[in-house]
Amino acid sequence: MPKYTFSNREKIMLAVLLVIAVGLLWYRFVFVSVNDQVAQIQSEQQTAEDTITIDQTRLKRKDQIEATLAAYKAQGIEPLKLPEYDNLKNVMAELRTVLGAASSYTLSFDDLYWTDQGLIARGASLSFECASYDEAKAILQNIYSGSYPSMIDSLQLTDDTAKQQSNTSGAGAVKVNAHFVYFETVGENSPTKGLPPKPEEEKKDN
């Protein structure tokens, strides 16, 4: 049987096809895989950075709160009577009543943590809209002077009343973003469910 001899042109075409096949295999199994791994690493890095930012923000708020409490104590200001843990249901009931004056609102609570004074701090993030600056001020004052002691540690208010003069209802003309903290005591008879471990207990566990 006679052997088939490839012509130079056919050899060149086969070489080109081989290079293309190798390139496709490299793209499929190397380039795509590496890109997926890089994307996953970048996603994990972003998640870690977001977590660090959140933790740093909470730590900063914690330091601000404790500095304020220490300043009040140094001035001889008598603290208000603090409710016992777990006071969440009462806090939420009062907030619903106060925020009934708002056009709309969203409310979320942070993780609980211990203060250096041995209290439980319950942070809350609040966003709400109302028709006027006076209404927003009244809502914030009612929260601050409510039945349960709290401290507002950040506040952002946007007043778009002038832009909405043609809006007869005025709903949503003023937008407020605030973060505030409620404090609770923990006694021997207080429930333990949901409480974070005390700092000294965390050190023992480590």
Side-chain angles (χ1 to χ4, degrees), residues 114-116 197-204:
W114 292 92
T115 70
D116 288 346
K198 289 187 176 181
E200 57 268 22
E201 293 176 356
E202 289 181 337
K203 292 178 181 178
K204 290 179 182 178

Side-chain angles (χ1 to χ4, degrees), residues 86-96 109 122 148 184:
D86 178 8
N87 196 46
L88 179 59
K89 289 184 179 179
N90 294 329
V91 168
M92 291 183 67
E94 182 171 271
L95 286 175
R96 288 194 189 100
F109 288 92
R122 187 186 298 279
Y148 310 109
E184 300 170 18

Side-chain angles (χ1 to χ4, degrees), residues 8-22:
N8 290 336
R9 182 178 180 183
E10 289 173 330
K11 290 178 180 178
I12 293 173
M13 290 180 64
L14 287 173
V16 170
L17 290 174
L18 181 60
V19 171
I20 293 175
V22 171

Side-chain angles (χ1 to χ4, degrees), residues 151-170:
M151 183 184 75
I152 298 176
D153 59 358
S154 69
L155 176 65
Q156 180 182 8
L157 186 148
T158 304
D159 189 349
D160 291 333
T161 306
K163 296 180 182 179
Q164 297 192 18
Q165 289 180 349
S166 59
N167 186 346
T168 54
S169 66

